PDB file of all heavy atoms in Angstrom:
ATOM      1  N   VAL B 171      11.676  92.777  13.610  1.00 98.00           N
ATOM      2  CA  VAL B 171      11.264  91.852  12.529  1.00 98.00           C
ATOM      3  C   VAL B 171       9.760  91.919  12.293  1.00 98.00           C
ATOM      4  O   VAL B 171       9.296  91.939  11.169  1.00 98.00           O
ATOM      5  CB  VAL B 171      11.686  90.429  12.887  1.00 98.00           C
ATOM      6  CG1 VAL B 171      11.114  89.404  11.913  1.00 98.00           C
ATOM      7  CG2 VAL B 171      13.210  90.344  12.913  1.00 98.00           C
ATOM      8  N   SER B 172       8.959  92.001  13.384  1.00 97.00           N
ATOM      9  CA  SER B 172       7.510  91.960  13.238  1.00 97.00           C
ATOM     10  C   SER B 172       7.037  93.164  12.451  1.00 97.00           C
ATOM     11  O   SER B 172       5.986  93.068  11.758  1.00 97.00           O
ATOM     12  CB  SER B 172       6.841  91.938  14.631  1.00 97.00           C
ATOM     13  OG  SER B 172       7.087  93.149  15.318  1.00 97.00           O
ATOM     14  N   LEU B 173       7.669  94.297  12.567  1.00 98.00           N
ATOM     15  CA  LEU B 173       7.242  95.463  11.839  1.00 98.00           C
ATOM     16  C   LEU B 173       7.654  95.491  10.388  1.00 98.00           C
ATOM     17  O   LEU B 173       7.178  96.256   9.563  1.00 98.00           O
ATOM     18  CB  LEU B 173       7.800  96.747  12.498  1.00 98.00           C
ATOM     19  CG  LEU B 173       7.241  97.057  13.904  1.00 98.00           C
ATOM     20  CD1 LEU B 173       7.935  98.327  14.460  1.00 98.00           C
ATOM     21  CD2 LEU B 173       5.772  97.212  13.928  1.00 98.00           C
ATOM     22  N   LEU B 174       8.530  94.497  10.027  1.00 98.00           N
ATOM     23  CA  LEU B 174       8.940  94.389   8.606  1.00 98.00           C
ATOM     24  C   LEU B 174       8.022  93.492   7.807  1.00 98.00           C
ATOM     25  O   LEU B 174       8.269  93.211   6.647  1.00 98.00           O
ATOM     26  CB  LEU B 174      10.307  93.815   8.534  1.00 98.00           C
ATOM     27  CG  LEU B 174      11.485  94.797   9.037  1.00 98.00           C
ATOM     28  CD1 LEU B 174      12.772  94.053   9.207  1.00 98.00           C
ATOM     29  CD2 LEU B 174      11.628  95.944   8.087  1.00 98.00           C
ATOM     30  N   ALA B 175       6.926  92.996   8.451  1.00 96.00           N
ATOM     31  CA  ALA B 175       5.977  92.204   7.692  1.00 96.00           C
ATOM     32  C   ALA B 175       5.250  93.039   6.606  1.00 96.00           C
ATOM     33  O   ALA B 175       4.718  92.537   5.645  1.00 96.00           O
ATOM     34  CB  ALA B 175       4.915  91.635   8.641  1.00 96.00           C
ATOM     35  N   TRP B 176       5.249  94.347   6.785  1.00 96.00           N
ATOM     36  CA  TRP B 176       4.663  95.282   5.849  1.00 96.00           C
ATOM     37  C   TRP B 176       5.730  96.308   5.463  1.00 96.00           C
ATOM     38  O   TRP B 176       6.630  96.600   6.217  1.00 96.00           O
ATOM     39  CB  TRP B 176       3.460  95.987   6.441  1.00 96.00           C
ATOM     40  CG  TRP B 176       2.357  95.058   6.835  1.00 96.00           C
ATOM     41  CD1 TRP B 176       1.332  94.610   6.075  1.00 96.00           C
ATOM     42  CD2 TRP B 176       2.199  94.492   8.153  1.00 96.00           C
ATOM     43  NE1 TRP B 176       0.535  93.735   6.808  1.00 96.00           N
ATOM     44  CE2 TRP B 176       1.048  93.677   8.105  1.00 96.00           C
ATOM     45  CE3 TRP B 176       2.915  94.548   9.330  1.00 96.00           C
ATOM     46  CZ2 TRP B 176       0.643  92.943   9.192  1.00 96.00           C
ATOM     47  CZ3 TRP B 176       2.499  93.847  10.448  1.00 96.00           C
ATOM     48  CH2 TRP B 176       1.335  93.032  10.353  1.00 96.00           C
ATOM     49  N   PRO B 177       5.638  96.918   4.266  1.00 98.00           N
ATOM     50  CA  PRO B 177       6.584  97.937   3.882  1.00 98.00           C
ATOM     51  C   PRO B 177       6.612  99.079   4.817  1.00 98.00           C
ATOM     52  O   PRO B 177       5.605  99.633   5.288  1.00 98.00           O
ATOM     53  CB  PRO B 177       6.100  98.400   2.519  1.00 98.00           C
ATOM     54  CG  PRO B 177       5.283  97.237   1.977  1.00 98.00           C
ATOM     55  CD  PRO B 177       4.664  96.620   3.168  1.00 98.00           C
ATOM     56  N   THR B 178       7.809  99.435   5.235  1.00 98.00           N
ATOM     57  CA  THR B 178       7.999 100.563   6.221  1.00 98.00           C
ATOM     58  C   THR B 178       9.374 101.135   6.084  1.00 98.00           C
ATOM     59  O   THR B 178      10.180 100.607   5.307  1.00 98.00           O
ATOM     60  CB  THR B 178       7.698 100.047   7.687  1.00 98.00           C
ATOM     61  OG1 THR B 178       7.711 101.196   8.542  1.00 98.00           O
ATOM     62  CG2 THR B 178       8.740  99.065   8.117  1.00 98.00           C
ATOM     63  N   THR B 179       9.690 102.178   6.774  1.00 98.00           N
ATOM     64  CA  THR B 179      11.012 102.811   6.729  1.00 98.00           C
ATOM     65  C   THR B 179      11.730 102.654   8.074  1.00 98.00           C
ATOM     66  O   THR B 179      11.058 102.511   9.099  1.00 98.00           O
ATOM     67  CB  THR B 179      10.872 104.302   6.391  1.00 98.00           C
ATOM     68  OG1 THR B 179      10.260 104.962   7.510  1.00 98.00           O
ATOM     69  CG2 THR B 179      10.031 104.511   5.112  1.00 98.00           C
ATOM     70  N   PRO B 180      13.013 102.725   8.093  1.00 98.00           N
ATOM     71  CA  PRO B 180      13.791 102.678   9.350  1.00 98.00           C
ATOM     72  C   PRO B 180      13.327 103.807  10.314  1.00 98.00           C
ATOM     73  O   PRO B 180      13.203 103.528  11.514  1.00 98.00           O
ATOM     74  CB  PRO B 180      15.225 102.895   8.912  1.00 98.00           C
ATOM     75  CG  PRO B 180      15.244 102.226   7.584  1.00 98.00           C
ATOM     76  CD  PRO B 180      13.998 102.608   6.937  1.00 98.00           C
ATOM     77  N   ASP B 181      13.096 104.982   9.829  1.00 98.00           N
ATOM     78  CA  ASP B 181      12.620 106.053  10.674  1.00 98.00           C
ATOM     79  C   ASP B 181      11.313 105.693  11.390  1.00 98.00           C
ATOM     80  O   ASP B 181      11.106 105.951  12.543  1.00 98.00           O
ATOM     81  CB  ASP B 181      12.492 107.370   9.890  1.00 98.00           C
ATOM     82  CG  ASP B 181      13.758 108.170   9.880  1.00 98.00           C
ATOM     83  OD1 ASP B 181      14.759 107.710  10.488  1.00 98.00           O
ATOM     84  OD2 ASP B 181      13.732 109.296   9.311  1.00 98.00           O
ATOM     85  N   ALA B 182      10.395 105.096  10.572  1.00 98.00           N
ATOM     86  CA  ALA B 182       9.083 104.733  11.183  1.00 98.00           C
ATOM     87  C   ALA B 182       9.216 103.684  12.208  1.00 98.00           C
ATOM     88  O   ALA B 182       8.527 103.698  13.272  1.00 98.00           O
ATOM     89  CB  ALA B 182       8.179 104.222  10.049  1.00 98.00           C
ATOM     90  N   ILE B 183      10.085 102.718  11.999  1.00 98.00           N
ATOM     91  CA  ILE B 183      10.327 101.663  12.995  1.00 98.00           C
ATOM     92  C   ILE B 183      10.941 102.245  14.278  1.00 98.00           C
ATOM     93  O   ILE B 183      10.547 101.939  15.396  1.00 98.00           O
ATOM     94  CB  ILE B 183      11.199 100.559  12.396  1.00 98.00           C
ATOM     95  CG1 ILE B 183      10.481  99.854  11.304  1.00 98.00           C
ATOM     96  CG2 ILE B 183      11.679  99.575  13.454  1.00 98.00           C
ATOM     97  CD1 ILE B 183      11.318  98.768  10.567  1.00 98.00           C
ATOM     98  N   VAL B 184      11.919 103.139  14.096  1.00 98.00           N
ATOM     99  CA  VAL B 184      12.548 103.803  15.233  1.00 98.00           C
ATOM    100  C   VAL B 184      11.439 104.508  16.050  1.00 98.00           C
ATOM    101  O   VAL B 184      11.435 104.480  17.325  1.00 98.00           O
ATOM    102  CB  VAL B 184      13.640 104.804  14.756  1.00 98.00           C
ATOM    103  CG1 VAL B 184      14.007 105.713  15.926  1.00 98.00           C
ATOM    104  CG2 VAL B 184      14.845 104.002  14.296  1.00 98.00           C
TER     105      VAL B 184
END
Side-chain angles (χ1 to χ4, degrees):
V171 171
S172 67
L173 294 179
L174 291 168
W176 299 272
T178 187
T179 67
D181 270 1
I183 294 176
V184 166

